[in-house]
Amino acid sequence: MDVDTLMEPMDLKVSELLKEVQVDYSPALTELVDDTVSAIKEAINQIPEGIEVTVDEAPGFVKDIGADKVEFKFKKPKSVEIGGSYSMKCIAKPDINVDLFIQLPKECFHEKDYLNYRYHAKRFLYLCILKKFLKSSSLVHKVEWSSFHNEARKPVLLVYPARKVVEFPGLFVRVIPTAKFLFNVAKLDMKRNNIRALNQEGNTPLPTPRYNSSMLEDMFLEDNTEFLKKTFLGWRELREALILLKVWAQQRSSIYAHDCLNEFLIAVILSYLATHEKVNNSMKPLQIFRVTMDFIASSKSWSQGLYFWQQREVKVSKEERLLYKETFPVVICDSYAHLNLAFRMKSNGFLELQDEAALALKCLEKSGDVAFEDIFMTKIDFSSKFDYCIRLNLKGNSKVCASGFCLDDECWRFYEQKVHNILSQGLSDRAKFIRVIWRNFHSDCDIENGLSTLDTEPLLIGISVSSLEKAFRVVDIGPNADNKEEALKFRKFWGEKAELRRFRDGKIAESTVWESKQWAKHLILKRIIEYVLLQHLSLSKTNVLQVVDQLDFSLLHGVEDPMSFSASLLAAFELLSKRLRCIEDIPLKVSSVQPLDPAFRFTSVFPPRPHPLASEKGHVPKLRKLISCCIQPLEVMIQLEGSGNWPMDEVAIEKTKSAFLLKIGESLQNSWGMTCIATEDDVDVFLSGFAFRLKILHERGLSLVKREIGSDIVKRVPSVDKKLFVRGQHSSMINGLQGIYQMYGPVVRLAKRWVASHLFSDCLVEEAVELLVAHLFVKPLPFTAPCSRIVGFLRFLRLLADYDWTFSPFVVDINNDFTPIDKKEIYDNFTLSRKGHEENAQNISPSMFLATSYDKASEAWTRFAPNSLELKRLVAYARSSANLLTRLVLEDQTGPLKWECLFRTPLSNYDAVILLHADRLPYPQRLLFPSNSNQGRLVVHGNASKAFQPFMLPGDLRGNSEEIKHKLMVNFDPLRSYVADLQKEFNTFKLWYDSLGGDAIGLTWETKKRGRDEACEGEDPIKVLKGVGEVGKGFVRSVYFLKAPRLMK
Amino acid sequence: MGNLKEKLEEEKKKKKKSEKAKKTNAELFQKKVMLKKEEKQNENIKTTGKKKRRREKENNVNADKVEGEKNKNKPRKKKRKGEEKNNALVGKSVQQDGYEEQNGKSKKPNRKKKEHHTLKKGETIPEKIEEAVEDGAYYISSGEDCSKGMRKWLTEYRQSRPGLKVLQQWIDQFITAHEEKLEQERNEREARVAEDGWTVVVHHKGRKKTTDSQSGITVGSVAPAVAESQLTKKKHKEIGPDFYRVQKREAQRNEILAIQSKFEQDRKRIQQLRAAGKFQPY
């Protein structure tokens, strides 16, 4: 019962999905298809029988594939028949197309035309004639060239009908020539050479298995389709399973490629399972899907090759099997035992396929119906799957086709293989998968004139990192120096990068060294890749485009990542906690010290660098570099020994804490000479260049909250202690996580920077971002945990954009230890929070439900923000950023779309824009782009105040060191003060700002429904804006007015 | 406490001083505070000043000037009111604005005033849709007064950090006052109780009290861990959820109901998604 009930929701979704993607063979569709097919037949009939077909139809093509003797007299095709998935009723949207097999007549071919590409040339010329006549047909909208599984020597024609039917946009008919009975099968054996040009030099002619398979495929296309049809037509569940598999594959562009899987092969594998009784009639589509995944991922049959059970006497002998295995990495022999249907499959493609299937199985193992989204609804394209994406621009590169376009295989496929070999040797165990895919064919290819235009698309390389320890390894140890042969090979491969080294264990070996700073280790892989590619391929640096560090600019201070100071920060913290624990002259001893600030867990966008004035040494620094006037304090949480003498109410508790902290500060000052700067609420101490802000957690404060819950559920205001407690929990949880995943920190930093730079600082708190990113690592399915910052960032954006925030709670289970009871509690909390939704769709709170082990009711981070409108905006921005990022990874970025656009927010989406004086920001160096508004009307402008400078002036450094230290401003942030003042004074608008150092504030009018205060509605927006400018006197540069508030009557 | 008062007074003095010091500056608002007439002149000066600074249309400037002059005819009483409320700002009443609103310079004071209106009186003011002001941008000088903007934030920053000793005193004072208040409250309460004819028995010896006298909630020395373990102990004594057959059946039925409702929910959700065109894997 258990399994059944768990499966049910998924079954529902699956059946709904099938309804969505299946095409019902309505009269409208069949009519359209039949009309188009008869139009094609009509066009064929118009071709005069026996016209001479010569090279002149496509001289370029014939020359490039290297065919001789291609003339023939045109004869009508022997048959024209609909085949493919349309005939099997297995079409999956959105690819609605119909395969039309045109059987080439034997009369047009000679017996020996299997030699030297004659068949391919004639096949193409035949299609050329067909195309000519199709073009003139009135029922045909357009005719285009395409390729058969990216095989340029085997083009096919795409015929678009003139009549458009709304339900089937972009429907076309694929005209595929077949070669049934044209040649003697024995002549196309794997061992035979059929391209004479290839065996001039060598003594024994090289076999041409791929060339032979290419022809055999055409010869048996109809038979194989017929065979599949027989299996599928009477079996609805199998057809549905096939559609599911297609949907699964369509979402994964890296396996749905010419050297891996295609629709036909999926059907073949399914029919193999059916004939071998691995699936049976009683199974549901999803069960068949699961069996197929399991078969692909882990079946032992792959190592021997798949052979259909033979009905007739044709048997594949052992030697033949062995030969197949030697020739092709993957063998799926057709039911007539003539050819390997998977002859295009490469081993790296197949490994990838197996991995994807294994991941799908993992998804299915998860309880509930989460798996559905992961398997069928999530797009797993190149950019989101691979940690490193590289594009090689090979346009016009003569090396690609140096020895001809078409040999046994095509030159592009050889090149793919070559690139793959170089990279796998260069990266060795650093990479788990290396995918090299070069899609050559695009719709406007003019292949009649030759194949040289097929290199316009960039070659795509995707690399999955095996583990970050390996990827960030600095030294690669090669063969021992004694091993002359291997050492020579190593030297040959690495060129001048190879060096002989003596290692600690006394070993002397060839090696390569990639020295790097700690924060730049993600660039090691980039350097290796660039080095080996340039070394072995005649490429210029500009043609190798690696997506690795394009976004680093947003995290750097100058040329350096501030992350490099983290070690000294942690050391300072250690020292501080030691000193705190040693303090004797306070009534209660410090029992524990815990870091709270994100800088301690490597997730701060800008962890502080040691400030020369904040160290306890008394010397005054020379004013050589710019010295900042402001210093970020880092919060640290202290717990004291237990005592019964604490006061009982919250106000008094807070005051007592302050008194304790002052004492602590004083003690530190007296015994260690540390500077202590305090206000009534905050106590900051300086140590080793960092400012630490001390907070006390008092356990009894926690019970105070609970009491409040009892009295009034609606108005739960967590106490200061509760907030501290939650932050402490969060901090230690995230700290543990980032210890496991090295890439976590950088991804969080990019994500935080993105959130801030689009002025969402007020909407999504840092901790929430950390949790969202944490989810990508702890629940990576259907991916694996990201191993590069860009792929992690992209997945973060997609998560934000695609997650169903309204109807699903977002559960982050970092330690993977939620019990069913916990989960139920979370779901109950969630349903409770969504109850109000039915009545008022606009006002759900929290609109983003984030549950974690320490916060099962989503009260900690997203209780007040984002509200549903903010979330809407956030989602829209995330979606457009994700799309842009995907494009930047996969396509050439000529044009205005550049990487920095990801962090440059449009200022036109606000009702008014406030621009600040960038040189009055506390950390002007963090500003990414100085903002300018050319939209709207300038209504206010003002000068910068002279009272504040972000950097020390020479005059500030005179006097004794203690005085100077007090000039350092802890946590002074005019932006925060400004926003606070505005929020205090106005309630007619909402502010959007960047707390990390942006110089623009967006302003949108709030359209609140007010009964009595209608007066405010009528207020002149310009007047309001002037008030806004006035509040930020000395800080506001200008205010632009874009849109007036909508008046609500 | 006394210290605090002193401090406040000091602040006030400082403010006054700085105000005086800045008077020499051609700062509009300060002067407004000082003298009405001066203000009028100032406004005019400002309009002309603006003219120089901004690339604005001639006629707008003229309009401004006219507006500025019109301002002179305003009754002064109302303005004084605003003054009293905020010594740095001068407000103009909303009712009288009609045309006056068009004067760009006085926007800020207007706003201030309006807030007073809406907040304090809570009355509805006849709504008027003002035409957009056609003058150029409003200029805020970098401002040498401490009531707003950068200078205010800097002053606040400095004032909140008077040094450890002073802070210590503040806190001590607060706590003493707070304790006194609590003491007083308790006395009152006891007195009230005593009036009812009950005598409060106070017993201070013996075990430290762990129960709040008012609510009866356990507080203080009972560690949360102990409390929790006690709670769990209690729970163990209850009969397990699958002890009786009825319970089992009920649980099963509930489960099925839950699954059914989930199923319904899913179906609804899919319909919604489909309607929104989002239930497509492509």
Side-chain angles (χ1 to χ4, degrees):
Chain A
M1 168 176 169
D2 212 355
V3 177
D4 274 14
T5 50
L6 280 178
M7 285 306 295
E8 237 162 55
M10 177 106 167
D11 276 347
L12 171 73
K13 286 190 177 174
V14 164
S15 65
E16 292 293 318
L17 174 74
L18 283 170
K19 268 187 226 159
E20 191 64 36
V21 294
Q22 258 174 340
V23 175
D24 56 335
Y25 285 61
S26 61
L29 176 66
T30 45
E31 204 179 302
L32 179 67
V33 171
D34 291 345
D35 283 357
T36 317
V37 170
S38 57
I40 294 169
K41 281 183 181 161
E42 187 59 35
I44 292 171
N45 276 333
Q46 278 174 6
I47 307 172
E49 198 81 353
I51 53 163
E52 284 288 336
V53 183
T54 60
V55 193
D56 300 335
E57 296 295 335
F61 180 87
V62 175
K63 190 175 123 262
D64 281 347
I65 63 170
D68 49 359
K69 293 191 222 163
V70 294
E71 289 76 21
F72 65 93
K73 282 201 178 80
F74 185 86
K75 286 274 180 334
K76 291 204 165 50
K78 260 181 99 183
S79 68
V80 177
E81 250 177 80
I82 293 177
S85 51
Y86 181 81
S87 65
M88 293 179 342
K89 304 204 170 182
C90 292
I91 291 186
K93 283 181 198 170
D95 295 339
I96 309 177
N97 56 61
V98 180
D99 286 356
L100 192 69
F101 293 145
I102 293 192
Q103 196 181 327
L104 298 173
K106 212 166 179 182
E107 294 83 13
C108 296
F109 293 86
H110 296 294
E111 194 190 340
K112 290 214 159 186
D113 273 356
Y114 57 84
L115 285 175
N116 299 344
Y117 278 104
R118 284 175 209 158
Y119 164 72
H120 291 88
K122 282 188 176 178
R123 177 186 180 281
F124 181 69
L125 292 176
Y126 197 91
L127 284 179
C128 283
I129 300 288
L130 216 60
K131 188 183 176 193
K132 239 196 241 169
F133 281 85
L134 278 172
K135 263 182 170 171
S136 55
S137 166
S138 62
L139 291 170
V140 172
H141 169 58
K142 64 175 175 181
V143 188
E144 262 177 13
W145 286 116
S146 176
S147 64
F148 196 62
H149 300 307
N150 204 25
E151 202 175 327
R153 57 192 174 191
K154 270 166 66 169
V156 294
L157 278 178
L158 306 185
V159 182
Y160 293 84
R163 192 156 63 88
K164 298 275 178 254
V165 178
V166 190
E167 300 105 84
F168 315 107
L171 178 137
F172 59 83
V173 175
R174 250 187 350 163
V175 179
I176 304 169
T178 63
K180 206 172 181 182
F181 307 127
L182 278 192
F183 307 112
N184 184 349
V185 177
K187 301 282 186 196
L188 294 172
D189 192 81
M190 281 171 291
K191 297 180 289 277
R192 290 186 63 99
N193 170 299
N194 285 322
I195 307 173
R196 299 292 179 244
L198 278 181
N199 55 5
Q200 278 163 357
E201 293 164 35
N203 307 335
T204 46
L206 289 167
T208 55
R210 285 183 173 78
Y211 171 77
N212 298 354
S213 300
S214 163
M215 279 183 287
L216 282 169
E217 185 180 47
D218 280 6
M219 288 176 67
F220 293 97
L221 203 54
E222 284 154 317
D223 291 346
N224 282 319
T225 309
E226 199 53 41
F227 171 76
L228 291 179
K229 221 154 113 181
K230 246 188 278 164
T231 325
F232 281 93
L233 269 184
W235 192 346
R236 192 173 60 90
E237 285 79 13
L238 198 66
R239 285 205 306 275
E240 288 179 349
L242 177 59
I243 290 173
L244 287 182
L245 282 162
K246 281 184 188 178
V247 172
W248 170 77
Q250 267 165 9
Q251 297 286 22
R252 289 154 176 77
S253 64
S254 68
I255 56 166
Y256 216 40
H258 54 91
D259 62 347
C260 194
L261 210 58
N262 56 47
E263 288 185 32
F264 178 71
L265 282 180
I266 300 178
V268 169
I269 293 171
L270 256 188
S271 70
Y272 177 87
L273 293 176
T275 50
H276 286 238
E277 286 161 12
K278 295 241 165 55
V279 295
N280 59 47
N281 283 317
S282 62
M283 282 178 163
K284 287 183 183 172
L286 195 62
Q287 283 170 307
I288 301 179
F289 177 84
R290 185 195 291 259
V291 170
T292 315
M293 285 296 126
D294 187 49
F295 177 77
I296 293 176
S298 53
S299 171
K300 289 201 178 72
S301 322
W302 293 106
S303 56
Q304 289 130 38
L306 308 188
Y307 296 90
F308 283 84
W309 276 343
Q310 308 306 325
Q311 309 94 323
R312 284 154 295 148
E313 52 272 30
V314 260
K315 278 243 158 101
V316 188
S317 67
K318 259 209 174 128
E319 296 84 65
E320 246 178 311
R321 287 185 185 214
L322 212 66
L323 194 65
Y324 268 127
K325 202 58 229 162
E326 274 169 19
T327 323
F328 302 106
V330 184
V331 182
I332 306 176
C333 197
D334 74 334
S335 54
Y336 304 96
H338 294 308
L339 86 149
N340 174 16
L341 293 171
F343 71 96
R344 288 191 191 87
M345 230 191 240
K346 296 271 164 60
S347 56
N348 70 67
F350 181 66
L351 283 177
E352 173 96 26
L353 173 63
Q354 285 195 307
D355 188 58
E356 277 296 343
L359 281 174
L361 281 176
K362 258 194 209 162
C363 290
L364 283 170
E365 276 163 24
K366 287 197 295 190
S367 63
D369 52 347
V370 218
F372 178 80
E373 266 77 27
D374 292 346
I375 294 174
F376 299 113
M377 305 299 269
T378 315
K379 194 161 202 66
I380 304 177
D381 52 357
F382 239 72
S383 52
S384 62
K385 171 167 176 108
F386 293 106
D387 297 318
Y388 288 76
C389 280
I390 304 151
R391 290 198 309 264
L392 296 190
N393 182 9
L394 297 164
K395 197 173 174 180
N397 191 317
S398 57
K399 282 278 155 50
V400 175
C401 54
S403 46
F405 287 102
C406 298
L407 306 166
D408 175 30
D409 212 341
E410 295 170 317
C411 62
W412 307 283
R413 306 289 85 77
F414 278 125
Y415 203 80
E416 278 173 358
Q417 194 59 46
K418 190 175 169 190
V419 171
H420 186 268
N421 291 345
I422 292 169
L423 285 177
S424 52
Q425 192 175 350
L427 297 177
S428 61
D429 63 341
R430 292 175 199 259
K432 187 166 63 180
F433 291 115
I434 302 172
R435 273 299 262 152
V436 183
I437 293 183
W438 195 358
R439 293 178 212 269
N440 300 101
F441 229 94
H442 47 100
S443 57
D444 49 347
C445 262
D446 181 20
I447 52 167
E448 281 106 329
N449 295 325
L451 304 174
S452 56
T453 54
L454 292 181
D455 57 6
T456 47
E457 295 286 309
L459 179 139
L460 270 183
I461 305 171
I463 293 170
S464 290
V465 167
S466 54
S467 78
L468 282 178
E469 287 76 48
K470 285 176 185 159
F472 290 179
R473 192 174 51 210
V474 175
V475 181
D476 271 347
I477 304 172
N480 232 318
D482 304 335
N483 189 345
K484 287 271 155 52
E485 203 177 310
E486 287 291 313
L488 196 71
K489 256 196 214 160
F490 189 85
R491 285 206 159 265
K492 206 178 154 205
F493 183 80
W494 287 104
E496 54 195 22
K497 195 71 196 166
E499 46 186 286
L500 206 56
R501 278 198 157 216
R502 189 196 177 94
F503 291 91
R504 251 183 225 155
D505 53 356
K507 188 167 120 180
I508 300 173
E510 293 285 348
S511 59
T512 51
V513 183
W514 309 90
E515 263 170 78
S516 165
K517 285 189 184 140
Q518 184 59 36
W519 61 269
K521 285 206 161 170
H522 61 294
L523 300 179
I524 291 180
L525 217 57
K526 180 189 179 189
R527 281 157 62 201
I528 299 177
I529 291 166
E530 190 171 280
Y531 182 81
V532 293
L533 287 182
L534 295 190
Q535 174 90 0
H536 293 278
L537 305 172
S538 50
L539 286 171
S540 71
K541 222 172 173 177
T542 50
N543 287 332
V544 182
L545 205 134
Q546 301 198 45
V547 180
V548 182
D549 53 354
Q550 276 83 346
L551 295 178
D552 290 1
F553 72 93
S554 65
L555 303 178
L556 299 185
H557 259 179
V559 288
E560 202 169 24
D561 195 324
M563 208 36 104
S564 46
F565 299 108
S566 290
S568 52
L569 170 63
L570 291 183
F573 172 74
E574 279 308 310
L575 186 61
L576 175 75
S577 61
K578 211 160 101 194
R579 287 182 182 176
L580 283 171
R581 269 186 280 240
C582 292
I583 295 176
E584 298 285 353
D585 47 357
I586 47 171
L588 298 173
K589 284 194 79 175
V590 173
S591 65
S592 83
V593 185
Q594 206 200 331
L596 288 185
D597 194 274
F600 294 110
R601 46 184 194 262
F602 306 103
T603 58
S604 173
V605 179
F606 295 115
R609 56 163 66 210
H611 198 286
L613 290 178
S615 59
E616 49 276 46
K617 281 164 225 138
H619 75 92
V620 176
K622 299 257 160 46
L623 195 70
R624 261 171 302 159
K625 275 191 278 179
L626 287 175
I627 298 175
S628 176
C629 279
C630 300
I631 185 164
Q632 281 170 263
L634 305 163
E635 283 195 324
V636 166
M637 186 170 84
I638 295 175
Q639 269 176 288
L640 300 173
E641 287 175 329
S643 158
N645 290 333
W646 281 83
M648 297 302 294
D649 61 316
E650 196 175 349
V651 192
I653 289 179
E654 287 312 309
K655 289 290 170 191
T656 315
K657 283 182 185 175
S658 296
F660 261 113
L661 287 176
L662 286 174
K663 279 259 181 298
I664 290 173
E666 218 168 356
S667 164
L668 290 173
Q669 205 161 15
N670 294 339
S671 38
W672 304 101
M674 291 160 63
T675 310
C676 173
I677 293 178
T679 71
E680 259 183 287
D681 306 310
D682 305 305
V683 175
D684 303 306
V685 293
F686 292 166
L687 178 64
S688 321
F690 300 101
F692 295 95
R693 174 160 288 187
L694 307 178
K695 294 275 170 195
I696 291 180
L697 172 70
H698 176 49
E699 276 200 3
R700 199 181 294 162
L702 296 177
S703 59
L704 280 176
V705 197
K706 282 180 193 147
R707 202 147 78 187
E708 263 174 73
I709 295 172
S711 58
D712 189 359
I713 294 176
V714 193
K715 248 182 122 188
R716 266 187 284 183
V717 181
S719 70
V720 178
D721 279 306
K722 176 72 181 168
K723 282 185 207 152
L724 262 183
F725 176 73
V726 164
R727 291 181 57 201
Q729 294 277 307
H730 177 82
S731 174
S732 61
M733 192 176 91
I734 295 294
N735 199 23
L737 183 77
Q738 75 73 31
I740 305 170
Y741 301 104
Q742 267 190 64
M743 204 33 83
Y744 175 72
V747 175
V748 172
R749 293 173 68 210
L750 278 179
K752 283 182 179 175
R753 185 67 157 159
W754 179 85
V755 169
S757 59
H758 288 285
L759 311 186
F760 287 118
S761 286
D762 199 29
C763 307
L764 198 59
V765 296
E766 291 199 20
E767 284 85 355
V769 177
E770 285 171 7
L771 288 178
L772 290 177
V773 177
H775 182 80
L776 302 174
F777 286 83
V778 292
K779 287 268 171 348
L781 289 174
F783 304 97
T784 48
C787 282
S788 81
R789 43 186 75 184
I790 290 192
V791 75
F793 178 55
L794 176 62
R795 287 188 208 165
F796 162 76
L797 291 177
R798 290 208 182 156
L799 173 71
L800 201 53
D802 296 337
Y803 196 80
D804 181 16
W805 297 108
T806 328
F807 294 96
S808 324
F810 188 83
V811 184
V812 185
D813 183 7
I814 287 199
N815 299 319
N816 213 7
D817 55 0
F818 276 176
T819 60
I821 299 166
D822 290 332
K823 282 181 189 158
K824 189 168 179 305
E825 192 188 335
I826 290 170
Y827 274 85
D828 289 348
N829 286 334
F830 175 72
T831 355
L832 202 69
S833 82
R834 287 293 181 268
K835 242 181 193 165
H837 171 67
E838 307 285 302
E839 300 105 57
N840 186 3
Q842 283 298 308
N843 194 18
I844 329 169
S845 113
S847 62
M848 198 181 230
F849 191 97
L850 288 187
T852 50
S853 53
Y854 60 80
D855 176 29
K856 295 199 180 87
S858 182
E859 287 174 327
W861 313 119
T862 53
R863 207 166 142 215
F864 302 109
N867 63 31
S868 48
L869 279 175
E870 290 164 351
L871 184 63
K872 230 180 181 175
R873 202 179 183 110
L874 202 53
V875 165
Y877 274 52
R879 183 160 298 134
S880 77
S881 284
N883 291 342
L884 172 61
L885 182 53
T886 311
R887 275 209 305 282
L888 285 168
V889 172
L890 296 179
E891 293 164 21
D892 275 325
Q893 71 231 40
T894 45
L897 302 173
K898 289 273 159 61
W899 287 90
E900 52 256 40
C901 289
L902 286 169
F903 291 102
R904 193 195 283 265
T905 200
L907 291 177
S908 52
N909 297 343
Y910 303 94
D911 295 338
V913 174
I914 306 165
L915 300 184
L916 309 170
H917 285 286
D919 52 356
R920 291 299 179 274
L921 293 168
Y923 309 99
Q925 66 272 34
R926 293 179 187 172
L927 177 64
L928 281 174
F929 318 102
S931 304
N932 266 315
S933 179
N934 45 12
Q935 271 160 341
R937 187 153 67 90
L938 180 75
V939 285
V940 173
H941 80 135
N943 286 343
S945 166
K946 291 187 190 71
F948 174 71
Q949 296 285 340
F951 297 110
M952 296 271 180
L953 300 171
D956 292 333
L957 294 176
R958 266 174 237 135
N960 75 36
S961 66
E962 213 43 43
E963 268 173 40
I964 296 171
K965 269 183 194 173
H966 280 91
K967 278 185 189 147
L968 202 52
M969 302 179 82
V970 191
N971 208 21
F972 178 69
D973 185 358
L975 177 71
R976 200 185 47 227
S977 311
Y978 182 38
V979 168
D981 278 2
L982 284 177
Q983 281 165 348
K984 218 179 335 170
E985 213 154 313
F986 302 93
N987 58 357
T988 47
F989 51 76
K990 159 158 186 59
L991 292 171
W992 310 78
Y993 58 89
D994 172 2
S995 63
L996 283 176
D999 65 347
I1001 300 176
L1003 186 153
T1004 51
W1005 307 111
E1006 298 261 276
T1007 44
K1008 272 185 198 151
K1009 280 170 213 132
R1010 279 189 218 122
R1012 295 178 300 143
D1013 301 352
E1014 267 168 14
C1016 295
E1017 301 277 342
E1019 209 165 15
D1020 183 3
I1022 308 282
K1023 201 154 68 176
V1024 175
L1025 290 180
K1026 287 178 181 171
V1028 165
E1030 201 60 57
V1031 171
K1033 198 187 256 189
F1035 189 43
V1036 169
R1037 174 155 53 110
S1038 49
V1039 179
Y1040 289 86
F1041 170 73
L1042 280 82
K1043 263 179 251 152
R1046 263 179 299 159
L1047 290 171
M1048 310 229 325
K1049 288 280 156 75
Chain B
M1 271 304 190
N3 203 348
L4 218 144
K5 269 179 200 163
E6 269 174 42
K7 237 194 73 78
L8 278 174
E9 265 168 21
E10 253 180 44
E11 264 175 56
K12 268 186 194 167
K13 273 181 201 165
K14 263 190 211 165
K15 250 186 199 170
K16 271 183 191 167
K17 258 188 203 170
S18 62
E19 272 167 17
K20 270 179 196 164
K22 282 153 205 164
K23 222 166 121 186
T24 43
N25 269 333
E27 175 46 55
L28 172 63
F29 291 117
Q30 297 296 349
K31 291 201 172 177
K32 267 186 182 170
V33 179
M34 305 312 292
L35 246 175
K36 210 89 305 177
K37 275 181 189 170
E38 248 183 60
E39 180 213 346
K40 300 297 168 198
Q41 285 161 4
N42 248 332
E43 280 188 31
N44 280 339
I45 289 166
K46 238 200 138 182
T47 17
T48 44
K50 252 196 217 164
K51 188 176 158 193
K52 282 174 204 159
R53 284 184 209 107
R54 225 139 314 284
R55 34 174 169 76
E56 69 182 3
K57 284 170 198 165
E58 274 269 297
N59 51 353
N60 285 343
V61 183
N62 290 340
D64 253 10
K65 273 183 182 169
V66 174
E67 302 298 273
E69 269 153 31
K70 275 182 186 168
N71 281 344
K72 280 184 185 170
N73 306 328
K74 291 289 128 50
R76 284 178 191 175
K77 260 185 195 170
K78 296 248 173 179
K79 285 182 185 172
R80 231 161 242 152
K81 241 190 209 168
E83 231 172 288
E84 280 156 25
K85 276 168 191 159
N86 188 332
N87 66 353
L89 296 169
V90 178
K92 286 170 198 161
S93 102
V94 183
Q95 281 101 327
Q96 52 173 266
D97 55 21
Y99 53 97
E100 186 194 309
E101 291 268 5
Q102 297 180 353
N103 188 329
K105 286 152 294 179
S106 45
K107 284 298 121 89
K108 177 61 207 167
N110 265 341
R111 234 217 77 80
K112 262 287 165 187
K113 185 65 190 259
K114 209 174 284 176
E115 259 187 13
H116 289 309
H117 270 277
T118 48
L119 290 176
K120 302 217 166 157
K121 292 177 194 164
E123 60 185 24
T124 49
I125 297 154
E127 195 180 304
K128 270 178 194 162
I129 302 165
E130 288 114 19
E131 342 158 19
V133 188
E134 281 307 319
D135 68 358
Y138 171 73
Y139 174 72
I140 11 164
S141 64
S142 58
E144 301 306 318
D145 71 319
C146 299
S147 65
K148 267 192 205 125
M150 193 63 99
R151 285 205 173 253
K152 174 191 169 218
W153 306 324
L154 284 167
T155 337
E156 277 174 357
Y157 177 86
R158 291 201 186 102
Q159 280 172 357
S160 63
R161 287 167 175 75
L164 302 188
K165 291 276 178 297
V166 182
L167 280 172
Q168 194 79 56
Q169 275 174 9
W170 289 2
I171 289 170
D172 289 348
Q173 279 158 12
F174 176 86
I175 288 178
T176 329
H178 189 72
E179 273 169 2
E180 268 170 23
K181 205 178 85 192
L182 287 183
E183 179 70 29
Q184 204 186 332
E185 271 172 23
R186 204 175 60 220
N187 287 342
E188 272 171 23
R189 205 169 47 230
E190 280 172 7
R192 238 191 351 258
V193 174
E195 269 169 31
D196 291 349
W198 295 89
T199 319
V200 183
V201 181
V202 186
H203 175 65
H204 283 298
K205 278 180 193 165
R207 194 174 60 88
K208 209 196 289 173
K209 66 172 179 182
T210 56
T211 317
D212 192 288
S213 59
Q214 291 169 279
S215 55
I217 290 172
T218 311
V219 288
S221 56
V222 176
V226 178
E228 212 158 89
S229 70
Q230 271 178 346
L231 275 179
T232 48
K233 254 183 214 165
K234 258 184 202 165
K235 264 186 191 164
H236 279 301
K237 282 175 196 160
E238 285 166 16
I239 297 163
D242 50 354
F243 188 79
Y244 293 112
R245 196 181 287 171
V246 185
Q247 284 178 322
K248 265 191 205 169
R249 249 185 253 147
E250 208 149 86
Q252 246 170 24
R253 212 185 55 203
N254 282 343
E255 208 174 308
I256 287 169
L257 279 178
I259 288 163
Q260 276 174 351
S261 76
K262 172 93 168 66
F263 186 83
E264 276 307 308
Q265 240 179 13
D266 274 351
R267 215 171 52 191
K268 257 194 222 158
R269 183 77 195 112
I270 289 170
Q271 273 165 2
Q272 274 169 346
L273 281 174
R274 182 169 287 164
K278 278 181 187 161
F279 195 72
Q280 285 172 338
Y282 44 85

